[in-house]
Amino acid sequence: MERDLPNILVTGTPGCGKTTTSELIASVTGLQHINVGELVRQKQLHEGYLAEFDTHVLDEDKLLDEMEDLMKEGGKVVDFHTCEIFPERWFDLVIVLRADTQPLYDRMEKRGYNQRKIQENMECEIMQVVLETARESYAEEIVVELPSNTVADMESNVDRVQRWLDAYKAQHAK
């Protein structure tokens, strides 16, 4: 899909810094940040609430219908912990943020996640579930794994995305 501006997916285990990184990318690049979790809650794009995991049950069809036109425009930074539900054609770059177990655990605990949710997310990060899913769902050349343990990591990641965006714009100049 040819767009003037690219769409970027920032994904990773909950607590790895997706929203913070996406907000920074949007601020630096002028791209529009879409926090999918917020969109799901605001537009009621779910089938209810699952208390044991402290999360909403996503209605994928409603979400994809809601996002389709937005994604066609380009210029989006999409932030969500799941990546395989989105059509491959939507994204020009897929960033998988990774965090070491200690900072990840601390972040989830600080958010007040229950122990079951923390344990499940820690296991997902250790087993590289999001990374492997991204590699299975998108072209190898657009999936990039980046560390997200410190503020310096986040700043470095944002700088890297800015350089990538500059190259994208140069390649797609009309």
Side-chain angles (χ1 to χ4, degrees):
M1 184 178 291
E2 194 61 32
R3 297 178 273 270
D4 291 336
L5 290 173
N7 290 322
I8 300 169
L9 174 61
V10 179
T11 190
T13 305
C16 69
K18 294 177 302 298
T19 300
T20 302
T21 299
S22 296
E23 288 171 346
L24 288 169
I25 291 169
S27 175
V28 167
T29 64
L31 300 177
Q32 179 188 355
H33 175 219
I34 298 175
N35 180 324
V36 175
E38 287 294 315
L39 185 65
V40 167
R41 286 186 289 280
Q42 289 172 356
K43 302 265 184 163
Q44 303 281 311
L45 307 174
H46 58 81
E47 300 170 348
Y49 187 75
L50 193 58
E52 67 182 303
F53 290 104
D54 190 25
T55 190
H56 288 92
V57 178
L58 179 64
D59 185 325
E60 291 180 21
D61 291 333
K62 283 183 182 177
L63 174 63
L64 296 177
D65 288 347
E66 181 71 30
M67 292 181 66
E68 183 71 43
D69 289 337
L70 289 171
M71 299 309 292
K72 284 180 187 172
E73 299 169 2
K76 306 298 186 277
V77 179
V78 176
D79 143 25
F80 200 46
H81 62 273
T82 299
C83 62
E84 73 277 6
I85 64 171
F86 302 117
E88 187 175 0
R89 71 181 184 277
W90 280 7
F91 298 106
D92 304 285
L93 178 65
V94 176
I95 298 169
V96 181
L97 296 178
R98 301 295 311 281
D100 293 337
T101 54
Q102 191 59 56
L104 186 62
Y105 185 92
D106 293 345
R107 292 171 189 168
M108 288 188 281
E109 194 171 54
K110 187 176 178 182
R111 291 180 180 182
Y113 288 4
N114 65 46
Q115 279 303 307
R116 183 168 181 175
K117 187 171 183 173
I118 291 173
Q119 187 63 38
E120 180 178 285
N121 288 323
M122 293 295 291
E123 288 173 10
C124 284
E125 183 65 11
I126 291 166
M127 300 301 293
Q128 301 184 39
V129 171
V130 178
L131 178 61
E132 292 305 317
T133 302
R135 287 178 173 159
E136 292 167 4
S137 302
Y138 300 95
E140 180 182 343
E141 63 271 11
I142 72 166
V143 178
V144 179
E145 175 185 6
L146 296 175
S148 184
N149 295 302
T150 65
V151 172
D153 286 343
M154 288 182 188
E155 290 170 349
S156 173
N157 295 341
V158 171
D159 288 344
R160 187 170 174 175
V161 171
Q162 178 65 65
R163 289 191 307 275
W164 177 88
L165 179 59
D166 291 343
Y168 180 96
K169 287 177 179 177
Q171 286 179 337
H172 294 82
K174 292 183 179 176

